């Protein structure tokens, strides 16, 4: 097993079958790999490396017995396993969104969650922007235009896109601007 793992290189693509799903990650029995003496597979994927998208349960993304191809991140010497990434083999939806969206652009979205400091708005599949409660763009004394409910369809202006932190800030369009 150690000889096999030492031959692997980061970025290498490895295929195998999902052997087990645990609360802390997914074990993969690699096609070319030996059996692990303790774990169900010599490949291991942490939850954040399953997909770019948010999920509550790994069964939303993957299932036992599924055949997958992953990218090798590292050789974990403490556990004797190949650390893998399934999401590295998929296009990054945030980067795609950022490449096709510009600050100042007005887009339509759906309110998905209310938080004490504002609301999250789904702008595209897997992409949400924060509509901060202070980003109102209304005249003083007028009712707040950020008063929204989950499920509301709203027009928002892209205020900022932070690629490094993977965040989008949105605001309500000025009243005189038409989407």
């Amino acid at each position: 097993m150690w000889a096999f793992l030492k031959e692997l290189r980061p970025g290498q693509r490895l295929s195998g079958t999902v052997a087990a799903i645990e609360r802390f990650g997914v074990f993969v029995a690699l096609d070319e790999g030996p059996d692990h003496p303790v774990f169900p597979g010599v490949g291991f994927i942490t939850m954040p490396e399953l997909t770019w998208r948010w999920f509550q349960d790994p069964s939303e993304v993957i299932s036992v017995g599924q055949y997958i191809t992953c990218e090798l991140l590292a050789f974990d010497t403490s556990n004797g396993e190949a650390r893998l990434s399934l999401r590295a083999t998929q296009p990054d939806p945030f980067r795609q969104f950022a490449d096709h969206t510009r600050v100042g652009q007005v887009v339509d979205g759906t309110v998905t969650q209310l938080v004490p400091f504002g609301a999250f708005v789904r702008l595209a599949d897997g992409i949400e922007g924060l509509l901060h409660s202070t980003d109102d763009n209304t005249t003083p004394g007028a009712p707040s235009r950020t008063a929204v409910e989950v499920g509301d369809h709203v027009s928002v202006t892209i205020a900022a896109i932070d690629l490094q932190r993977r965040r989008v800030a949105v605001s309500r369009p000025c009243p005189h601007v038409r989407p």
Side-chain angles (χ1 to χ4, degrees), residues 2-66:
W2 290 98
F4 167 76
L5 291 170
K6 287 180 181 179
E7 292 297 317
L8 300 177
R9 299 289 171 248
Q12 184 177 349
R13 297 280 171 115
L14 301 169
S15 297
T17 304
V18 175
I21 300 174
E22 302 292 342
R23 62 178 171 69
F24 50 86
V26 174
F27 290 100
V28 180
L30 297 174
D31 287 347
E32 304 297 321
D35 290 335
H36 194 285
V38 177
F39 304 126
V42 74
F44 183 75
I45 309 170
T46 61
M47 293 302 175
E49 291 299 328
L50 283 176
T51 183
W52 291 104
R53 308 212 186 293
W54 185 88
F55 62 93
Q56 287 185 315
D57 188 292
S59 65
E60 297 171 36
V61 179
I62 204 162
S63 58
V64 172
Q66 183 178 345

Side-chain angles (χ1 to χ4, degrees), residues 63-86:
S63 58
V64 172
Q66 183 178 345
Y67 189 77
I68 58 173
T69 298
C70 297
E71 187 172 296
L72 177 71
L73 297 177
F75 164 36
D76 181 346
T77 56
S78 62
N79 290 320
E81 60 193 18
R83 288 292 172 106
L84 306 172
S85 174
L86 184 58

Side-chain angles (χ1 to χ4, degrees), residues 102 104-108 155-158 173 177-179:
R102 69 184 190 293
Q105 183 176 340
V106 177
V107 298
D108 293 326
S155 291
V156 293
T157 301
I158 304 297
V177 175
R178 297 183 60 97

Side-chain angles (χ1 to χ4, degrees), residues 147-166:
V148 294
E149 298 295 326
V150 171
D152 285 355
H153 297 284
V154 295
S155 291
V156 293
T157 301
I158 304 297
I161 300 173
D162 185 339
L163 279 169
Q164 217 169 21
R165 293 172 53 200
R166 301 180 65 83

